[in-house]
Amino acid sequence: MTQTSSQEAAAESPSTAESTAPTRRELNKAATRSSIASAALDLLRSNGSGNFTVEDIAAAAGVSRRTFFNYFPSLEAALASVADGFMDHALEQFRLRPADESILESAQAALMALADPMSVAPMAELFSLTQDNRQLARSELEAWEHCTEQIIDAARSRLGAGISELYLHALAGSVISCGKAAMNVWFADRGPDLSAESLAVLRQHLIDAMGLLGAGFAPPSDAPVPTSPSAPTTTDRF
């Protein structure tokens, strides 16, 4: 590299760094969004499902009803967003994994990197608090849908724009189904227990579910081996 090109690169570096840093407006918008989501979760905790409105959330967050709808299309969407942090952190870890590693190995490693079991607390609490209300269960569905979209985007970035859309959607759907299975097994065993010990169990269920998917759901070593000649076997790997 010539001296001139080096100077040009040095001159461009600050502007590049500045362009990637969030603006004050973006930071303010993120703070408002987080405040609304936190207010929604606080009201769900204190009032119970079905006992508060969009107006209540807006008042608790110190914003207008109009501002609420600038950020969220519904009460359920505001609640669903409380799970965004966990997924964002998991995807950050996923993107740090080697590019030649399989998607599911990277997903499992990303979950293992989130060593603090409390990282899954918002998602677990939302799941627990919405189980007894069919309408608010839509919040959970919206959270899973958002996670699906993020997984598809992350996988596409890893594998390239030419990857099959069927593959991406099937992969994301499989990951989400395993996540739901882990949540259901955890809740059936632990109920609304959000202690660090309980959340550590949930975190391990999520890791193990990714492992099962990556192994093609091969039976555990201590499980009975199917004897039916028609039982299919698979060695497929994602």
Side-chain angles (χ1 to χ4, degrees), residues 145-203:
E145 179 63 26
H146 182 58
C147 289
T148 301
E149 293 169 0
Q150 290 184 293
I151 292 169
I152 289 172
D153 288 343
R156 183 182 288 112
S157 296
R158 167 77 69 86
L159 300 172
I163 192 68
S164 162
E165 286 297 311
L166 175 60
Y167 175 89
L168 291 173
H169 283 77
L171 171 64
S174 299
V175 169
I176 291 300
S177 292
C178 284
K180 290 179 179 179
M183 295 287 290
N184 283 324
V185 169
W186 166 77
F187 189 75
D189 181 43
R190 295 283 181 156
D193 179 6
L194 297 176
S195 66
E197 178 188 3
S198 176
L199 293 174
V201 171
L202 172 57
R203 172 181 170 273

Side-chain angles (χ1 to χ4, degrees), residues 83 86 91 138 171 192 206 209 213:
F86 170 76
L91 287 172
R138 289 167 48 195
L171 171 64
L206 291 167
L213 181 56

Side-chain angles (χ1 to χ4, degrees), residues 33-34 36-41 52 54 57 68 71-84 126 139 142:
R33 179 181 174 85
S34 177
I36 294 172
S38 295
L41 184 58
F52 59 97
V54 163
I57 297 172
F68 175 96
Y71 287 87
F72 298 105
S74 65
L75 181 153
E76 291 79 17
L79 284 170
S81 71
V82 304
D84 288 353
L126 177 66
S139 302
E142 290 204 31

Side-chain angles (χ1 to χ4, degrees), residues 17-36:
E18 289 173 6
S19 66
T20 58
T23 65
R24 180 179 296 276
R25 177 180 173 81
E26 289 170 336
L27 290 172
N28 288 339
K29 289 179 67 175
T32 300
R33 179 181 174 85
S34 177
S35 177
I36 294 172

